[in-house]
């Protein structure tokens, strides 16, 4: 079989960290083409084009400074050029941009390509919940898989040991993707419940915003543990309502995509950090995003808004007070100090 050509669509903090792994594996494994294209949104950094910096210095100085990328990672400024001939498309861009990117590349991709989404978010469709992988599948007509886990990008780039979860219904495809992604320090488990894996990746960011509120309000670890537990219960309840592919197994929530990702995001990560600053400063989410994220986008508040709209349409909002409170505080003027009272009356306590 001809070696599989890989393209990474996105080059932010997480995309660049994944590029380190994918580039190293593609460079040494016969199953994959050595050259890996990475679509880079062109920017000027210190008077130079970011693509030129990556291709000459092998470092994404804006989004992952201090980490060398493998020399076989080739930064491409036009997404339509980047995807040409690719057998595996790895999507790692903010979920707000996915529809436009799919429209741009639809006529330029191989029809039998396999997609993998690393995007943590959901979309609100006319019929309710829309997973990002569903949007990509419908727009491009390709097989989709997902990768989610307790994977803070800088720690992955530092090659600190962690685990991740691939959701993939096709066993042969799962084996191939595991081979592409796994290293000694980035251990991959493949499960079939791809929709549950993806929902975990999206919803844990909402819970992390709540954890950040706790930090900003000066509450301790007991309170944060309660937020994490109640958040997990809402994640499981949400998955059981909206995952229609089959029964939702509690075991999937014990994988890296579930409880592990939830814990690490509630103690680290940008959603917790921005939410803490929100509680302390009174500035808006947008202001803090601009001040603190160096051009990156926050996923938790936007996901909270979309999830709340989906639940409201189904008349289920009161069963998810944590998700609703995060949305109300971020966007609708509910004072952040009211967050705990929303949890004190949680249905779990009734």
């Amino acid at each position: 079989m001809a070696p599989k050509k890989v393209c990474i669509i996105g080059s932010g903090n997480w995309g660049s960290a994944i590029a380190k792994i994918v580039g190293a594996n593609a460079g040494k494994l016969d199953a994959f083409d050595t050259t890996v294209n990475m679509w880079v949104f062109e920017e000027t950094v210190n008077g130079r084009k970011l693509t030129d910096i990556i291709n000459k210095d092998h470092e994404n100085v804006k989004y992952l400074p201090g980490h060398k990328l493998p020399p076989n990672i080739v930064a491409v400024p036009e997404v339509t050029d980047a995807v040409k001939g690719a057998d595996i498309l790895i999507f790692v861009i903010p979920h707000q941009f996915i529809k436009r990117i799919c429209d741009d590349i639809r006529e330029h991709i191989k029809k039998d390509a396999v997609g993998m989404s690393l995007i943590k978010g959901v979309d609100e469709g006319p019929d309710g919940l829309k997973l990002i992988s569903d949007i990509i599948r419908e727009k491009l007509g390709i097989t989709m898989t997902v990768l989610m886990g307790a994977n803070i990008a800088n720690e992955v780039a530092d090659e600190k040991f962690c685990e991740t979860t691939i959701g993939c219904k096709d066993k042969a495809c799962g084996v191939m993707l595991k081979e592409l992604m796994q290293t000694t320090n980035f251990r991959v488990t493949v499960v079939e419940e791809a929709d549950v894996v993806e929902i975990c990746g999206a919803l844990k960011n909402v819970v992390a915003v709540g954890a950040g509120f706790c930090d900003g309000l000066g509450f301790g670890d007991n309170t944060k543990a309660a937020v994490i537990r109640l958040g997990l219960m809402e994640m499981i309840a949400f998955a059981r309502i909206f995952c229609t592919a089959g029964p939702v197994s509690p075991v999937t929530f014990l994988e890296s995509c579930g409880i592990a990702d939830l814990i690490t995001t509630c103690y680290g990560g940008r959603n917790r950090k921005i939410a803490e600053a929100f509680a302390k400063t009174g500035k808006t989410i947008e202001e803090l995003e601009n001040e603190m994220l160096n051009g990156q986008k926050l996923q938790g508040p936007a996901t909270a808004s979309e999830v709340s709209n989906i639940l409201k349409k189904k008349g289920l909002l009161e069963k998810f007070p944590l998700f609703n409170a995060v949305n109300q505080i971020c966007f609708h003027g509910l004072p952040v100090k009211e967050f705990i009272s929303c949890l004190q009356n949680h249905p779990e306590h009734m």
Side-chain angles (χ1 to χ4, degrees), residues 132-161:
I132 303 302
S133 64
D134 288 338
I135 293 170
I136 300 170
R137 184 185 298 110
E138 287 173 14
K139 282 195 165 281
L140 301 182
I142 62 174
T143 298
M144 282 302 299
T145 65
V146 297
L147 181 147
M148 306 279 156
N151 309 140
I152 290 175
N154 285 39
E155 294 183 16
V156 172
D158 285 335
E159 298 178 29
K160 293 175 178 171
F161 176 79

Side-chain angles (χ1 to χ4, degrees), residues 39-327:
W39 173 59
V40 175
F41 180 78
E42 192 68 280
E43 303 176 64
T44 302
V45 181
N46 300 325
R48 297 171 65 194
K49 288 182 177 178
L50 186 54
T51 51
D52 289 343
I53 296 171
I54 292 170
N55 289 333
K56 287 174 183 160
D57 303 343
H58 307 297
E59 183 182 350
N60 188 336
V61 293
K62 179 159 186 184
Y63 296 112
L64 194 68
H67 293 279
K68 286 294 180 186
L69 298 176
N72 58 319
I73 295 288
V74 177
V76 181
E78 292 293 337
V79 69
T80 50
D81 294 334
V83 300
K84 276 189 184 129
D87 301 290
I88 300 168
L89 300 168
I90 299 172
F91 294 88
V92 55
I93 55 176
H95 82 279
Q96 300 93 310
F97 305 134
I98 193 62
K99 290 179 182 174
R100 179 169 59 79
I101 291 299
C102 285
D103 288 339
D104 288 345
I105 67 174
R106 184 187 296 119
E107 302 304 320
H108 301 272
I109 61 166
K110 292 177 78 167
K111 298 306 173 199
D112 60 350
V114 172
M116 177 188 276
S117 174
L118 278 61
I119 300 167
K120 294 180 174 177
V122 292
D123 201 47
E124 186 191 346
D127 301 318
L129 179 76
K130 199 84 162 167
L131 297 174
I132 303 302
S133 64
D134 288 338
I135 293 170
I136 300 170
R137 184 185 298 110
E138 287 173 14
K139 282 195 165 281
L140 301 182
I142 62 174
T143 298
M144 282 302 299
T145 65
V146 297
L147 181 147
M148 306 279 156
N151 309 140
I152 290 175
N154 285 39
E155 294 183 16
V156 172
D158 285 335
E159 298 178 29
K160 293 175 178 171
F161 176 79
C162 66
E163 301 171 311
T164 200
T165 311
I166 290 176
C168 177
K169 291 180 169 52
D170 182 305
K171 282 193 167 60
C173 183
V175 169
M176 174 189 67
L177 293 172
K178 179 173 180 173
E179 187 180 19
L180 176 65
M181 305 305 293
Q182 181 155 276
T183 71
T184 308
N185 288 317
F186 192 70
R187 307 305 293 172
V188 177
T189 302
V190 182
V191 301
E192 288 187 26
E193 286 188 321
D195 50 357
V196 179
V197 172
E198 189 168 0
I199 278 180
C200 284
L203 296 183
K204 57 93 190 185
N205 283 331
V206 180
V207 184
V209 173
F213 291 158
C214 287
D215 292 340
L217 293 165
F219 296 119
D221 285 337
N222 291 344
T223 308
K224 200 180 211 178
V227 168
I228 291 170
R229 189 191 76 81
L230 292 169
L232 179 62
M233 298 310 290
E234 290 193 16
M235 287 167 61
I236 293 170
F238 190 95
R240 286 185 167 149
I241 292 166
F242 290 100
C243 289
T244 54
V248 171
S249 165
V251 175
T252 305
F253 292 91
L254 299 178
E255 297 290 350
S256 183
C257 63
I259 188 67
D261 197 7
L262 179 61
I263 291 168
T264 197
T265 312
C266 286
Y267 278 91
R270 66 187 79 152
N271 288 281
R272 188 219 62 80
K273 179 179 168 186
I274 295 281
E276 179 182 19
F278 178 91
K280 284 179 172 175
T281 65
K283 293 180 179 177
T284 67
I285 293 291
E286 193 174 16
E287 285 170 336
L288 292 165
E289 197 176 56
N290 292 335
E291 283 177 25
M292 298 171 67
L293 289 189
N294 189 33
Q296 296 177 92
K297 290 291 179 189
L298 207 60
Q299 300 298 313
T303 302
S305 175
E306 286 151 353
V307 162
S308 294
N309 288 338
I310 291 163
L311 290 167
K312 189 175 181 182
K313 283 179 183 171
K314 288 208 174 268
L316 295 169
L317 201 52
E318 74 283 351
K319 295 186 186 299
F320 296 83
L322 190 152
F323 292 169
N324 185 34
V326 169
N327 175 48

